[in-house]
Amino acid sequence: VTATPPSTPLPKVGVAVFLLSGSKVLLGKRLSAIGHSTFALPGGHLEFGESFEECATREVKEETGLDIDKTEYLTVTNNVISEKVHVVSIFMRAVPADPSQNPQTLEPEKCDGWDWYEWNNLPKPLFGPLQDMVQSGYNPFPTTAS
Ligand SMILES: CC(C)CCOP(=O)(O)OP(=O)(O)O
Ligand SMILES: [Mg+2]
Ligand SMILES: [Mg+2]
Ligand SMILES: [Mg+2]
């Protein structure tokens, strides 16, 4: 009888949303097993049949109660987070549909609370894939035509 090798789980596909307000971005401290106690963008698993935009809109609404506008694809990253977790992250950007709306912590078991942070003064530690992007000097903000 040949032992079956331990199966390595398939990569996950996550959609993360840079929700922008002026020079600030919305972040929440994760309480899920993956990335526990690190600050991450709202977002989540891409579900069957969803477009990236549909997933972004759904996850932000589920997690923060906020409706979003001007959602657009930014970039993708490929991160092996641990020996059991490999995540392909689709990064989107968007703006709140109603700037006066405050985010709500709708999944307190997954997130310790949402706050707006200046891009040049982000909290630590950041969730792995986001930390890598920040470290690489990535700028999620629209470039205003000079
Ligand atoms: C980070 C990676 C596991 C992708 C899924 O992100 P997530 O844990 O926020 O997922 P959900 O919001 O869908 O629960
Ligand atoms: Mg979610
Ligand atoms: Mg989800
Ligand atoms: Mg999530």
Side-chain angles (χ1 to χ4, degrees):
V1 173
T2 51
T4 48
S7 65
T8 45
L10 285 173
K12 297 170 179 286
V13 181
V15 173
V17 185
F18 283 101
L19 195 51
L20 306 177
S21 172
S23 54
K24 296 189 175 181
V25 63
L26 193 70
L27 292 168
K29 191 158 64 174
R30 289 177 63 86
L31 299 176
S32 304
I34 297 174
H36 192 278
S37 298
T38 66
F39 288 89
L41 302 169
H45 292 92
L46 185 68
E47 292 180 4
F48 185 83
E50 273 186 324
S51 69
F52 296 155
E53 187 177 351
E54 286 164 343
C55 180
T57 301
R58 178 184 52 75
E59 284 288 346
V60 171
K61 187 71 177 174
E62 278 177 7
E63 300 185 343
T64 73
L66 295 176
D67 297 307
I68 61 177
D69 270 344
K70 298 166 78 175
T71 308
E72 53 186 318
Y73 169 81
L74 283 184
T75 191
V76 59
T77 65
N78 184 31
N79 302 85
V80 177
I81 292 183
S82 70
E83 64 182 22
K84 288 273 184 197
V85 180
H86 176 171
V87 181
V88 174
S89 302
I90 315 292
F91 286 92
M92 310 290 283
R93 103 164 134 223
V95 296
D98 172 358
S100 68
Q101 222 183 341
N102 294 320
Q104 303 160 269
T105 307
L106 297 182
E107 298 176 330
E109 76 289 357
K110 289 187 178 179
C111 175
D112 194 35
W114 300 106
D115 271 313
W116 295 100
Y117 295 90
E118 284 295 338
W119 181 249
N120 54 25
N121 188 17
L122 296 176
K124 295 183 179 1
L126 293 177
F127 182 45
L130 178 60
Q131 171 60 30
D132 291 351
M133 284 180 76
V134 170
Q135 207 133 26
S136 72
Y138 188 79
N139 174 6
F141 292 86
T143 44
T144 42
S146 49

